[in-house]
Amino acid sequence: MARRVIGLDVGTYSIKVTHLESRNRATDFEVVAYAEKLLSDFSFTEEEGSLPIQLQQQQAALLALKAEGFFEEGMIISGLSGADAQVRSLSVPFTNTKKIQAVLGGLLDAQLPLDIDDLVLSWFLQKPRPHLEKANVEAQEQNQILVAFAKKISVDAYLKLLQVAKLNPRYITHKAAGLFDLLQHLIRKKIPGSSKTFAIIDLGFHSSSICVGSLDRILSARTVLRGGYDVTQNLMEKLRLSFPEAEKRKIETGFIETETEKAKLLEQHLMSEALKESYLPVIRELRQTVLALQSQGQEECTQIFLTGGGSKIKNLDQYFYEMLKIKTHAENDLKVLVAPNIKIQCPEGHAPEKAEAALATSYAISGSVSGKKQNHFDLRKGEFTWRGELTFLRSRGRILLLWGSILLVLLLGYGFLKNSLTAKEAENLKADEMAACEGVLGKKIDSGPRCLSMIKEQILGQGDLGIPEKSAADIYLEISKAISPQIQLKVTELDIADQKLRLNGETSGFEAVDTIYAALAKVPCVVNVEKGRARQVLQAVHFQMTADLKCQSFDDDEIKGTVKKRTR
């Protein structure tokens, strides 16, 4: 049975949704629908109320997509941008998961200017690198782990954004690392069986994501905070246009000069310069990444795939090739990318070739097979862990069934034992009752109710049963009479128990405390009065007093009672 996975890419230019139906194998899937909602304003230079315009419009776009049914019946997978999450490669001398988990915080703490307790971490151990040179013994002895981390406040903010549309993503990954599943798909489709290293770049609006890897392992995931927004800003300056005009010109006539195709007009030349300036940091970051991987013994990168809205710029792939000397191909047609027959819903005026769908599609591919941990991050950890319907029961079903059976056996055994003990205890209680009855009446009585009736008759016939002349209420009344009504007194607690008296209260001043002390000492049965600590609190004085109770007709356990929070 096919199951549906929804890839959700929340961007600063638009929100993209890809629906994918997968079957038994990771490569057996079909993209069945795609939708994109543009945000109406891309400059985000002002605020309305307490929320930035960008956040307001992202919320509106999510609600619109939900209203159109694009979030129904499917597992949602999404990702955090490089501005909110990062990926680091670390070396450890062991492969034991518990050991790595124990030292991971310390390794990151030494590299980051952040408190490790404020971060969410997700990591996996990379597969061994069999093609490393045998002479590089030190490198072979070290094991590489990739760690993704994000601030907890960033994960919380992103989940709250999605909650506006009542969306609960199963996984939240790192955007650049999320491209790896699409990279694997392109390698299988275009270079089957290749063990070479490849790179995929998603050229977004405010940032560009770079993922480098081979068919079976991700090697690097980085984000460069440069994208289409920077291109539009450069065009505004060079061509003296407004932001909307520059954005429209970029989309309609975007062009880069190459060695084989030169600009024919001044405007083309200026546009080319603006594009080159904007994407040069991306090229520089990719070059440094590839060189760093080669220095670690990895094979050189043989091909680059360009995706995202920026990949539709004319000659951009040729420009990357000239700068990096690596074969570059722009993957800017969703229908060619994944499936020939899919439902595509695009903003009015936009072509159906959706290079922007790459990241959302890659998210969906990553969820096509459950239980995949290698080469995947999940930032829903700790307090942000996903808790779906019946997830716990599905994952722990056998253990719960076993424990349920054990519990049932224990309950049945307990019930049988309890019935046996209850019957025996009833017999013992009846025997004790008869013995007590004989001790009171001086003769054996075979009926409990009859015994109680005879005891009641004897009690009612006696004139004095030793009932005390003064109760706790009587003592309270005596104290009330002894203290003058002129004194402002609030009793917060009056405890009479075990021949002891404790009085806590509030009054107007320290002189009033002395007056209350003197009055309390005159009360019958009250002796050994002691003043506790008295302190000024605002306009009142809080005090404590204790005393012993000595009444001749009281037995040890007969003076009991508590009066609390009484105000006079």
Side-chain angles (χ1 to χ4, degrees), residues 398-438:
R398 293 183 179 179
I399 296 176
L400 289 174
L401 182 61
L402 176 61
W403 278 107
S405 302
I406 294 173
L407 182 61
L408 180 61
V409 172
L410 291 175
L411 288 174
L412 292 174
Y414 173 74
F416 176 77
L417 181 61
K418 183 178 180 181
N419 288 335
S420 301
L421 292 176
T422 302
K424 186 175 181 180
E425 185 178 353
E427 293 178 1
N428 293 335
L429 287 175
K430 185 175 182 181
D432 293 341
E433 181 182 0
M434 294 299 99
C437 185
E438 183 179 359

Side-chain angles (χ1 to χ4, degrees), residues 358-429:
L359 191 54
T361 302
S362 191
Y363 289 157
I365 295 173
S366 72
S368 61
V369 176
S370 61
K372 292 170 63 176
K373 294 184 179 180
Q374 186 68 27
N375 297 316
H376 291 85
F377 297 115
D378 181 16
L379 294 172
R380 296 206 67 172
K381 301 286 186 181
E383 61 195 272
F384 306 112
T385 300
W386 183 80
R387 294 176 176 85
E389 297 178 358
L390 302 180
T391 298
F392 180 77
L393 294 179
R394 290 171 183 168
S395 62
R396 304 289 183 181
R398 293 183 179 179
I399 296 176
L400 289 174
L401 182 61
L402 176 61
W403 278 107
S405 302
I406 294 173
L407 182 61
L408 180 61
V409 172
L410 291 175
L411 288 174
L412 292 174
Y414 173 74
F416 176 77
L417 181 61
K418 183 178 180 181
N419 288 335
S420 301
L421 292 176
T422 302
K424 186 175 181 180
E425 185 178 353
E427 293 178 1
N428 293 335
L429 287 175

